Amino acid sequence: MTVSHELDTRFRAAAAEQGLLDVAYDLVDTPLGTLLVAASEAGLCRISYDPEPEREVERLARALGTRILRSPKPVDEVRRQLDEYFEHSRRTFELDLDLRLTADFSRRVVLEELAKVPYGEVTTYGDLAARAARPRAARAVGTVMNRNPIPIVLPCHRVVGANGSLTGYGGGIERKEALLRLEGALL
C-alpha cells in the first residue's frame, strides 16, 4: 500500500466515523456481479447493479447531499448480510433503511408491503397492489418495483406476472431468475 493510498483510506474512515458524510458507498462483489452499495446515517439507501459509480454518486448527491465518499466501513454490515444471503445462511435482512430515494408515500407503502414477501415465495404485481390498498394499480406497482432503490434487500425479484412469468426487473431478468433460484422459488 502506498503512503498516499494509506492516507486516503484513513481520511475516508475518519470522515465516516465523524459523521462528515451524507452517504458512504463501496463496490461489493456478489455472484450477480459487482454492486454499488450506499448508506447514509439513517441506513442503507441504495443498491445498484450499475458498475459505474459516477452516475450513482451523482444521483445520490442530488437527492441526499454532496458529501459522498467511497468508504467501505459504513457498508460493512450490508456487505456481511449480502454475503450471508448469497451463502444461503440468511433469509431476512436486519438493516436500517433510508427510503428518501423513494419519492412519495404511496411508493413507500408498496415497498413496505414488498418487504413482507417471505424468502422463497413469490407474489404478483396485482396481489402486491391489493396488499398496499391499491387493488387496481398493478402497473404502478410494476413501476415501483423497477425503481426500487434497494433491490435484493427489498425483494422486488419476488414479484412476478399474474401468470407466474418473470417480467421486468431493474437488474435484468437473468438476475431475477438467479435470485429466485437461490431462494428455491424456481426449480
Side-chain angles (χ1 to χ4, degrees):
M1 182 180 293
T2 66
V3 172
S4 66
H5 180 71
E6 184 177 316
L7 287 173
D8 184 54
T9 302
R10 286 196 315 209
F11 167 75
R12 292 169 190 272
E17 287 172 12
Q18 294 175 24
L20 299 176
L21 297 180
D22 294 318
V23 178
Y25 75 92
D26 200 12
L27 300 177
V28 176
D29 291 324
T30 75
L32 299 178
T34 301
L35 304 176
L36 180 135
V37 177
S40 69
E41 285 287 318
L44 176 64
C45 59
R46 184 75 174 125
I47 293 178
S48 174
Y49 290 111
D50 187 353
E52 296 181 30
E54 295 81 22
R55 193 166 41 204
E56 280 301 325
V57 167
E58 213 173 280
R59 183 173 178 226
L60 290 166
R62 281 193 307 270
L64 303 177
T66 58
R67 298 178 305 170
I68 299 174
L69 283 176
R70 183 171 181 182
S71 183
K73 188 170 172 90
V75 298
D76 278 349
E77 181 61 19
V78 178
R79 180 191 325 270
R80 183 182 66 76
Q81 290 192 32
L82 283 169
D83 287 346
E84 291 170 355
Y85 170 80
F86 285 113
E87 293 165 355
H88 302 279
S89 62
R90 174 172 293 279
R91 291 176 166 244
T92 60
F93 291 93
E94 299 166 2
L95 298 165
D96 291 328
L97 303 180
D98 180 348
L99 294 177
R100 288 181 289 164
L101 291 176
T102 304
D104 63 27
F105 176 76
S106 64
R107 289 184 183 155
R108 288 186 185 144
V109 170
V110 170
L111 292 176
E112 286 170 10
E113 287 302 318
L114 172 66
K116 297 174 187 174
V117 178
Y119 179 97
E121 295 183 23
V122 296
T123 191
T124 66
Y125 295 98
D127 287 343
L128 189 58
R131 288 169 48 181
R134 305 279 192 278
R136 297 178 145 183
R139 285 187 179 197
V141 165
T143 300
V144 173
M145 296 301 98
N146 194 7
R147 295 181 182 158
N148 176 5
I150 311 173
I152 304 171
V153 173
L154 290 176
C156 52
H157 60 278
R158 297 179 189 152
V159 184
V160 299
N163 64 0
S165 62
L166 301 185
T167 60
Y169 186 65
I173 295 294
E174 303 81 24
R175 287 186 177 119
K176 182 173 190 165
E177 183 177 351
L179 289 165
L180 291 173
R181 285 192 192 287
L182 172 93
E183 296 183 8
L186 286 180
L187 299 177

